[in-house]
Amino acid sequence: MSAGHAAYDVFRWVRPLHRAAEHVVATSLEGTPVGLGGRALLERLDDVGPQTVPQLAAWLGVSRQAVQKVVDDAIARGILATRPNPRHRRSHLVEATTDGAALFRDLHERELDDLTTLTRGIPEEDLRTAARVLEQLTTALHSR
Amino acid sequence: MSAGHAAYDVFRWVRPLHRAAEHVVATSLEGTPVGLGGRALLERLDDVGPQTVPQLAAWLGVSRQAVQKVVDDAIARGILATRPNPRHRRSHLVEATTDGAALFRDLHERELDDLTTLTRGIPEEDLRTAARVLEQLTTALHSR
């Protein structure tokens, strides 16, 4: 098998894995005040701090309108809040509220527990290699 | 870092990689008689032989209506054809035409060449490990 075939096998599994993971995460969010979109925003804000709606939209690869809708809903639920943006008068910064940050920590902890169970039997070294390869492939595709 | 964190890192890259890959594949299909949907059907039929629309829909995780639309378009373009299904009188089997099969072989060969270039610098062994891990994770998620 060539490197091309090996890479192709990686790409073949990306879509089914993405779908299966989304399904499991969506199920685990039932009964919480966020859905997949809200959870994705909380993760991003936890990673990089306050962001504008256009920045969040660019990161997720969805429309600003779609992000705005999730943001508005999360604000109504007390999960996110906006504050003035020192750099752009018109584009407010979105940030997690104390409740939102606590919710994400809870969700994330549960997910890590779940993943530890799920990946029992897969060597940790292999998981690390896989994560590194996916990052390398993503970077390579983006720089084309 | 725990195994849970390592697995989480894999999942974090699945969505961005999926998006980047779809974008590249869609671009490479410009000027060909198929889009992403048609290409996905050709790949599946190449893998497992003739399938019904419901089988294809289940595999792709999309609605039967969505698959039917792509199938109808591909039939109009001479890429796919249907034939009677010995097992179900009402659910015809979809198969690639000679032209469709040749088109997929061409596309696939070009993709493999592209991937060989793209993955230069990533050890083939790591690519194999990544593909195996993604398959294991997908299987583990599906069996929950």
Side-chain angles (χ1 to χ4, degrees), chain A residues 9-19 134, chain B residues 13-15 17-19 21 134:
Chain A
D9 269 351
V10 174
F11 283 104
R12 291 193 75 137
W13 284 104
V14 164
R15 188 173 182 280
L17 180 56
H18 179 235
R19 282 190 52 233
L134 296 196
Chain B
W13 284 104
V14 164
R15 188 174 182 280
L17 179 56
H18 179 236
R19 283 191 50 233
L134 296 196

Side-chain angles (χ1 to χ4, degrees), chain A residues 46-74:
Chain A
D46 182 67
D47 272 349
V48 298
Q51 296 275 287
T52 64
V53 166
Q55 284 174 326
L56 291 166
W59 169 255
L60 292 170
V62 299
S63 73
R64 294 174 188 198
Q65 289 79 358
V67 169
Q68 191 65 58
K69 211 177 145 212
V70 177
V71 167
D72 289 344
D73 183 66

Side-chain angles (χ1 to χ4, degrees), chain A residues 12, chain B residues 41-52 55-56 59 94:
Chain A
R12 291 193 75 137
Chain B
L41 295 186
L42 284 175
E43 177 176 274
R44 182 63 177 165
L45 297 172
D46 182 66
D47 272 349
V48 297
Q51 295 276 285
T52 64
Q55 284 174 325
L56 292 166
W59 170 254
V94 179

Side-chain angles (χ1 to χ4, degrees), chain A residues 1 8 12 43 47 124, chain B residues 1 8 12 43 47 124:
Chain A
M1 189 167 77
Y8 192 74
R12 291 193 75 137
E43 178 175 274
D47 272 349
E124 192 177 327
Chain B
M1 189 166 76
Y8 193 73
R12 292 193 76 139
E43 177 176 274
D47 272 349
E124 192 177 327

Side-chain angles (χ1 to χ4, degrees), chain A residues 67-109:
Chain A
V67 169
Q68 191 65 58
K69 211 177 145 212
V70 177
V71 167
D72 289 344
D73 183 66
I75 289 174
R77 289 167 189 269
I79 302 301
L80 298 180
T82 54
R83 59 177 170 86
N85 184 349
R87 297 200 192 166
H88 292 279
R89 213 156 26 115
R90 285 201 233 152
S91 199
H92 282 223
L93 286 168
V94 179
E95 63 185 359
T97 60
T98 310
D99 280 359
L103 172 66
F104 180 68
R105 276 197 305 275
D106 283 352
L107 294 174
H108 191 47
E109 210 163 294

Side-chain angles (χ1 to χ4, degrees), chain A residues 109-137:
Chain A
E109 210 163 294
R110 213 170 58 186
E111 288 166 358
L112 288 176
D113 283 349
D114 272 5
L115 285 174
T116 305
T117 310
L118 184 79
T119 57
R120 203 163 284 162
I122 305 179
E124 192 177 327
E125 188 54 37
D126 287 359
L127 290 167
R128 287 211 200 113
T129 299
R132 195 179 59 238
V133 166
L134 296 196
E135 179 174 0
Q136 288 170 319
L137 291 174

